[in-house]
DNA sequence: CATCTTCTTTACGCTCCCTTTACGCCTTCC
DNA sequence: GGAAGGCGTAAAGGGAGCGTAAAGAAGATG
């Protein structure tokens, strides 16, 4: 949940921004002038700063420079001034984007996502947990009771396919097509062998599977349990 | 000298862009349609991509997605369309900025500088520790048990790439592309040799690696241990 | 120009994993 | 009750991928 610092002197704009940002799943901090904003940027460590250039106490451009003195936090500028000179100055002082008022909420939210994205790519862990097994799709790691499990390439590819659709029944054909390719949609022998190998490694009692269960005549299913 | 790929079908705009960019100290590559652009983005490894959404062969939005399939290169969109929906789609597909035509050169150049400015990426710490090995990414120094290790240039580049994504499985192709360049994504012999050399220097028992582990058929992984 | 380091390339043995086959049990349908 | 097919399990053969050493090529250094 990224934390966003909004610096704007008009209360209704702050309110409007807060509502929009919270609705998009962000945590919001507010500051009503430049000095407060600089202080908050330092002490609260936000993930993003949205700054209105028209502030009562300080020039907005000065605020950018002040924040950049000791932080690389992304900055999106809001401003009524559309002159090129203002944009260039703000961007060169370290702002990452410059949006001219009035603007659409959807666009601003998209720009927020865009500017937060680089860290979101690898930071968003896709982890599927079931029983004492934990499947980390991004890192390509499986742990059981905290300890790393070693899976072969095919074993992982199969488990990954299950983990991307937990609790869904996957047919033999679907699985074979995804893991072994469309030329092997009838080689159910592969499945029998590899499902068994996975069970040996994942299940408490491989003969009485609780996680990777058979759907007779149809396929298999990875059950989510806690 | 950053390299910028300009994708635009109008020759005079490409010429105009090239002049402006070269004057600001950039190297410029050009493509006149989407297919060429995607190919160039893959083979030429630009540092920035400037893309006109109105192309003759492909939808510009498709080009963004295609490029993002195997690259994180920054993308600035140029477009005559000012509708919010277009902006949101482009940004959500992975573009970093969206500039509506007509635009001022000074502003575009400022946005180019902004997007190329090195940003601190959360998660990639400056110092990575694992086992008795300490990798200082900023100082470019590796120590083991407090003592400095001497690494050759390629050895360091390889270890640095691992250290920037510890605990993640990195595929052969990813590593080769990053360290030896996109022309050598199939030369896994390099990897075998250099991973072995790193293990000789980093591991307690190079034959039983605990830090730099093999993921058979996939790639390698730098494990964080304590 | 000589020497040393580093990068690239080749070769070989070995390990592990994919594939394939076989067999026994269970369920289901005649 | 018998037969047939789906499923679980074990094991073997073959091959691809990996580790390792070592030598030639290229570059750096004095």
């Amino acid at each position: 949940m990224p934390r966003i610092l909004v610096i704007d002197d008009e209360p209704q704009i702050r309110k409007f921004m807060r509502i929009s940002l919270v609705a998009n799943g962000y945590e919001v901090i507010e500051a009503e002038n430049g000095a407060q904003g600089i202080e908050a940027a330092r002490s609260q460590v936000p993930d993003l700063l949205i700054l209105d250039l028209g502030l009562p106490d300080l020039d907005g451009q000065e605020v950018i420079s002040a924040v950049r003195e000791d932080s690389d936090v992304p900055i999106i500028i809001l401003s009524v001034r559309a002159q090129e000179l203002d944009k260039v100055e703000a961007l060169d002082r370290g702002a990452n984007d410059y949006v001219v008022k009035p603007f659409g909420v959807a666009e601003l939210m998209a720009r927020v996502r865009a500017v937060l994205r680089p860290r979101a790519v690898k930071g968003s862990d896709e982890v599927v947990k079931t029983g004492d097994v934990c499947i980390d799709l991004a890192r390509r790691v499986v742990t059981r009771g905290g300890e790393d499990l070693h899976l072969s390439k095919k074993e992982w590819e199969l488990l990954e396919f299950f983990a991307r659709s937990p609790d869904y029944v996957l047919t033999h054909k679907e699985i074979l097509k995804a893991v072994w390719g469309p030329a092997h949609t009838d080689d159910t022998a592969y499945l029998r062998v590899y499902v068994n190998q996975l069970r040996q490694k994942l299940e408490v009692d491989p003969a009485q599977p609780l996680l990777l269960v058979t759907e007779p005549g149809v396929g298999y299913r990875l059950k989510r349990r806690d």
Side-chain angles (χ1 to χ4, degrees), chain A:
Chain A
M1 193 195 233
R3 181 189 304 186
I4 300 181
L5 169 60
V6 177
I7 309 179
D8 200 310
D9 58 318
E10 294 177 55
Q12 65 245 43
I13 292 199
R14 287 208 306 275
K15 183 179 180 187
F16 166 72
M17 297 282 292
R18 189 178 64 242
I19 292 172
S20 306
L21 289 168
V22 168
N24 280 271
Y26 300 107
E27 185 186 339
V28 177
I29 329 169
E30 300 178 17
E32 57 185 339
N33 59 50
Q36 261 189 33
I38 295 171
E39 166 55 24
R42 205 189 321 261
S43 59
Q44 308 270 356
V45 201
D47 298 299
L48 170 65
L49 205 158
I50 299 181
L51 168 66
D52 191 323
L53 274 198
L55 294 173
D57 58 335
L58 295 171
D59 179 11
Q61 303 281 4
E62 300 288 345
V63 178
I64 303 175
S65 299
V67 171
R68 273 286 171 271
E69 295 241 328
D70 48 16
S71 168
D72 285 325
V73 61
I75 301 178
I76 296 181
I77 298 298
L78 306 181
S79 171
V80 289
R81 307 189 58 169
Q83 279 88 349
E84 226 182 335
L85 221 67
D86 296 304
K87 299 185 185 177
V88 172
E89 182 180 356
L91 292 167
D92 279 343
R93 278 174 185 259
N96 297 79
D97 204 342
Y98 189 108
V99 182
V100 176
K101 293 200 242 185
F103 53 84
V105 200
E107 176 183 349
L108 181 63
M109 290 305 139
R111 289 188 182 272
V112 166
R113 283 192 294 276
V115 100
L116 285 177
R117 188 155 41 220
R119 46 181 63 190
V121 169
K122 285 204 169 175
S124 73
D125 287 349
E126 309 170 78
V127 176
V128 177
K129 287 184 189 176
T130 176
D132 57 348
V133 174
C134 191
I135 305 162
D136 190 325
L137 294 170
R139 290 186 175 77
R140 201 188 181 283
V141 171
V142 186
T143 56
R144 183 176 164 197
E147 284 188 34
D148 279 24
L149 279 186
H150 174 70
L151 297 192
S152 77
K153 187 185 176 189
K154 272 280 181 312
E155 285 169 354
W156 167 260
E157 287 173 2
L158 180 58
L159 182 59
E160 180 185 21
F161 188 65
F162 280 119
R164 292 202 184 276
S165 302
D167 288 331
Y168 277 78
V169 175
L170 303 173
T171 66
H172 296 137
K173 279 194 189 296
E174 278 179 315
I175 305 169
L176 287 164
K177 188 177 171 189
V179 179
W180 276 270
H184 298 86
T185 51
D186 294 323
D187 295 341
T188 54
Y190 290 153
L191 272 184
R192 295 206 305 275
V193 172
Y194 274 85
V195 165
N196 183 35
Q197 288 179 14
L198 282 179
R199 282 175 179 158
Q200 298 294 330
K201 299 186 177 183
L202 302 180
E203 299 280 357
V204 181
D205 178 7
Q208 304 283 328
L210 298 172
L211 276 35
L212 202 48
V213 296
T214 303
E215 301 289 337
V218 185
Y220 296 90
R221 184 157 60 108
L222 180 68
K223 268 195 181 180
R224 264 222 198 87
R225 307 182 70 92
D226 18 49

